[in-house]
Amino acid sequence: MSEPYDVLGIGIGPFNLSLAALAEPLPDVSAVFFDGRPGFSWHPGMLIEGATLQVPFLADLVTLVDPRSRWSFLSYLQQHDRLFPFYFAERFHVPRVEYDDYLRWVAESLPSCRFGRQVESISWDAAEQLFVAEVHDVLTARTTLVRARNAVVGVGTEPVVPSPLRPLLGKEVFHSAEFLDRQESLRGAQDVTVLGSGQSGAEVFLDLLRHQRDGGYRLRWLTKAPAFAPMEYSKLGLEHFTPEYTRYFRSLPEPVRDALVPAQWQLYKAIDAETIDAIHSELYERTVAGGSVPVTMSPNVEVVGASRGSEGITLACRELLQDREISVLTDRVVAATGYAARPPEFLAPLESVIHRDAAGRFRIDADYRVELDDGVTGGIYVQNAELHTHGVGTPDLGLGAHRAATILNALTGAEPYRLPSQTAFTTFGV
């Protein structure tokens, strides 16, 4: 399609891929999506054997908005002659490696998705009333200008490592996002420490536990969280991941929202029950007939310092409830310490027209549009950068299609996708 585009997508992860898939059948919407990577990949360092998606397969790119779409997960299975095996498998939560393959199939099939194209900057042309993006071709090193009426930022998040560990990053200390890529560096270690008690930390710990006999290492799992706690997965608890709860959360005062999100950590930062069961079963079976397991699992422990010496990595830790200092000597540290929104440097030319709150975060309206000066008639929309305004459902795959459809409805000024008015039995608010 020729310029100017209606939609310029920056970054091609699951959320912008959902937008691309839902935009594809709309005849009046022209869209293009750029990503600097050579091809699609989704958390490749965490595609651990046996790991499954934490949400049902219906949380694909399109189904919860348009179940008839050619880009659904079931359509992917049909295209690959796998519908009958999936039917007999009776699996609601699919393997993560399969979901990654599904996403790649969509990304490689949609003509609007262009890899190897890095958006360097985006600015507003007041005369033309258009956004102008500088797009760098990674292969040819050429830069072209692309014009669009709206832009959608979906560059994802980046790994977060505690400040004491940052100077030590390398083959001995690394984020869980690199876990599979760092397997070779784990060989020969006598002591391995995992930090963080979210789903990623649990999956890393379980994988290391299952290979502990062959590896011959001691294994330690530390977290500053109060427990290795299960994800809230009750039917009514899951209604916090509905558009109705999102609307309610948006209606709350900013100080209330800021206090509420960290208090809801078990909704989005805990461990699914199946992984906890697998860990406990592994530990239980290893103690049969008096067997011992060289494992330490400690909640309420925070790493406050770290250093490298001739004998390994020394972690200075504090037991939070006892307020006691302890020292841990280990050979390897896997930091499963989460992710945070990536500051989009390419938005620098627009900084003077972007509205931010007192904490420096984007002000974002109900349609995921960043508040801009009145003179900017185009829209900058964000995906997975609105935790502070839209709540715990922000990073959840189950709300991805609904958010993408909301954005398309907003920027077209029409309703190409009908969205349900009621999505929960719970009445949020009065």
Side-chain angles (χ1 to χ4, degrees):
M1 296 180 179
S2 59
E3 297 181 13
Y5 293 97
D6 295 310
V7 180
L8 165 65
I10 307 172
I12 306 177
F15 296 135
N16 259 359
L17 193 55
S18 174
L19 186 70
L22 290 172
E24 188 261 347
L26 304 182
D28 298 327
V29 176
S30 60
V32 65
F33 295 80
F34 297 117
D35 195 298
R37 297 171 299 171
F40 184 88
S41 63
W42 181 63
H43 297 300
M46 283 299 294
L47 298 179
I48 298 172
E49 183 178 356
T52 61
L53 214 58
Q54 287 180 271
V55 291
F57 71 90
L58 293 174
D60 61 14
L61 300 173
V62 293
T63 294
L64 290 177
V65 166
D66 182 10
R68 298 165 297 179
S69 170
R70 61 185 288 209
W71 305 115
S72 71
F73 181 76
L74 290 180
S75 178
Y76 154 81
L77 293 175
Q78 190 270 335
Q79 288 291 311
H80 291 80
D81 295 331
R82 299 188 67 241
L83 265 177
F84 271 92
F86 180 74
Y87 166 64
F88 293 125
E90 297 184 344
R91 304 184 75 164
F92 210 43
H93 294 82
V94 300
R96 190 176 295 163
V97 67
E98 183 177 27
Y99 195 76
D100 172 67
D101 191 61
Y102 155 66
L103 296 177
R104 186 176 299 103
W105 170 71
V106 176
E108 292 176 351
S109 302
L110 285 171
S112 61
C113 293
R114 317 278 175 83
F115 289 91
R117 307 287 195 280
Q118 183 73 38
V119 174
E120 301 289 346
S121 69
I122 183 169
S123 58
W124 176 250
D125 187 324
E128 294 192 32
Q129 293 287 287
L130 293 169
F131 290 107
V132 181
E134 292 186 359
V135 183
H136 176 75
D137 188 309
V138 176
L139 189 61
T140 66
R142 294 178 56 189
T143 297
T144 57
L145 299 181
V146 177
R147 292 169 172 79
R149 297 179 180 87
N150 301 278
V152 184
V153 179
V155 294
T157 55
E158 59 186 4
V160 173
V161 176
S163 55
L165 296 176
R166 291 171 196 164
L168 307 181
L169 288 174
K171 72 174 186 176
E172 297 168 335
V173 179
F174 52 89
H175 194 272
S176 57
E178 302 178 79
F179 180 63
L180 291 184
D181 299 326
R182 295 286 187 179
Q183 292 293 291
E184 191 62 33
S185 70
L186 290 168
R187 298 185 191 279
Q190 298 299 306
D191 190 285
V192 180
T193 299
V194 178
L195 303 178
S197 59
Q199 183 66 18
S200 295
E203 290 175 358
V204 166
F205 179 78
L206 177 58
D207 189 71
L208 290 169
L209 183 62
R210 285 171 168 166
H211 294 90
Q212 186 179 28
R213 285 172 173 166
D214 295 333
Y217 44 75
R218 296 182 300 277
L219 185 56
R220 187 180 297 101
W221 191 11
L222 308 177
T223 178
K224 64 180 180 181
F228 298 103
M231 190 83 74
E232 168 55 67
Y233 209 72
S234 65
K235 300 297 186 290
L236 295 180
L238 288 175
E239 292 193 343
H240 285 84
F241 300 95
T242 59
E244 283 189 59
Y245 180 76
T246 299
R247 288 192 289 271
Y248 167 68
F249 184 88
R250 276 193 45 76
S251 72
L252 300 174
E254 184 177 302
V256 175
R257 296 198 304 256
D258 288 346
L260 187 56
V261 169
Q264 295 175 321
W265 64 276
Q266 273 190 263
L267 287 173
Y268 69 110
K269 284 189 174 182
I271 311 166
D272 71 50
E274 289 185 0
T275 305
I276 292 177
D277 289 349
I279 290 171
H280 190 272
S281 295
E282 188 74 24
L283 294 168
Y284 179 79
E285 292 172 12
R286 297 264 292 276
T287 60
V288 172
S292 62
V293 188
V295 166
T296 299
M297 301 166 53
S298 299
N300 296 304
V301 174
E302 181 180 15
V303 174
V304 295
S307 61
R308 178 185 284 109
S310 58
E311 296 183 350
I313 307 296
T314 299
L315 302 177
C317 304
R318 177 184 292 114
E319 210 288 353
L320 298 176
L321 299 185
Q322 296 175 323
D323 194 23
R324 289 179 55 189
E325 302 287 336
I326 57 174
S327 181
V328 171
L329 181 64
T330 188
D331 298 320
R332 303 287 186 272
V333 178
V334 185
T337 44
Y339 299 80
R342 182 183 307 165
E345 296 179 1
F346 52 81
L347 289 179
L350 294 171
E351 191 58 42
S352 63
V353 300
I354 291 176
H355 296 183
R356 296 179 180 271
D357 63 18
R361 302 168 299 194
F362 294 140
R363 293 191 180 277
I364 302 168
D365 70 14
D367 295 327
Y368 305 94
R369 186 182 188 272
V370 177
E371 291 186 15
L372 305 172
D373 284 356
D374 292 339
V376 181
T377 57
I380 295 286
Y381 297 84
V382 293
Q383 303 220 62
N384 197 13
E386 68 281 2
L387 184 66
H388 60 292
T389 57
H390 287 66
V392 294
T394 294
D396 191 75
L397 292 173
L399 279 174
H402 187 277
R403 174 173 50 204
T406 299
I407 292 172
L408 285 170
N409 287 355
L411 63 84
T412 60
E415 194 180 24
Y417 290 104
R418 187 186 68 83
L419 299 177
S421 58
Q422 181 176 350
T423 54
F425 292 114
T426 305
T427 300
F428 295 106
V430 294

